[in-house]
Amino acid sequence: MKDSSIRKQGAASPCAACKLLRRRCAGDCVFAPYFPAEEPHKFASVHKVFGASNVNKMLQDLPEHQRGDAVSSLVYEANARVRDPVYGCVGAISSLQQQIDALQTQLALAQAEVVHMRMRHYSSSADCASPSTRGRRSHNNHPKSSFNIDESFWP
């Protein structure tokens, strides 16, 4: 009885997919390179969302050099679907796009405020200039900014 519980030397443990599916992991198992036994959660979420048969078909239809990327995408989408069953990763992408839009708006407002402040400073310094020096102003008399704003419009 003890002999049957001891694994043969050199025999690898089944991959996470075969372990979850309770089947023998063959040497040519399509899941083994991408779902190692140490990471059972990866295949569990992919199996829950897509099903083992569908994942098997997808991997079989792809060239070997593309399978790793496909598995990464499947794992990402499966985890997103577990968190958000309706939208999946599209919900995360949409949320990030909304954040980008809000930040771009804030940036545009900040840049407009900087331009407005520069114009106020420029006009107030022009009002203080004497009539004899007003016509001889240099193009470099405007305040310097720490922002990377196109300054080609400055006089």
Side-chain angles (χ1 to χ4, degrees):
M1 185 160 201
K2 249 184 176 180
D3 293 333
S4 64
S5 64
I6 298 174
R7 294 185 58 99
K8 296 179 185 175
Q9 274 193 341
S13 68
C15 69
C18 291
K19 192 178 276 189
L20 184 77
L21 299 172
R22 296 184 179 153
R23 66 182 192 192
R24 190 178 68 82
C25 192
D28 62 344
C29 176
V30 72
F31 298 121
Y34 312 107
F35 298 105
E38 305 85 47
E39 299 176 2
H41 60 281
K42 281 175 61 174
F43 184 75
S45 60
V46 169
H47 174 58
K48 183 176 182 178
V49 173
F50 298 106
S53 178
N54 289 330
V55 174
N56 186 19
K57 288 176 192 172
M58 283 187 252
L59 292 178
Q60 293 286 347
D61 289 344
L62 289 173
E64 273 191 55
H65 70 276
Q66 292 180 340
R67 291 179 184 175
D69 291 336
V71 168
S72 295
S73 296
L74 289 169
V75 170
Y76 184 83
E77 175 64 24
N79 289 331
R81 286 277 172 194
V82 168
R83 283 190 307 274
D84 184 353
V86 176
Y87 295 108
C89 66
V90 174
I93 292 169
S94 176
S95 174
L96 291 171
Q97 186 61 51
Q98 288 174 352
Q99 288 179 20
I100 289 171
D101 293 343
L103 291 171
Q104 284 176 332
T105 301
Q106 287 179 356
L107 177 62
L109 290 172
Q111 287 174 333
E113 188 175 345
V114 167
V115 169
H116 179 70
M117 291 173 73
R118 282 185 174 172
M119 293 303 289
R120 280 193 4 208
H121 182 271
Y122 179 73
S123 67
S124 67
S125 65
D127 291 342
C128 294
S130 68
S132 63
T133 60
R134 198 175 283 173
R136 290 184 252 150
R137 292 179 52 91
S138 168
H139 284 286
N140 295 328
N141 283 349
H142 59 83
K144 293 294 178 194
S145 170
S146 60
F147 295 104
N148 288 332
I149 298 175
D150 182 16
E151 297 181 358
S152 60
F153 63 88
W154 290 106

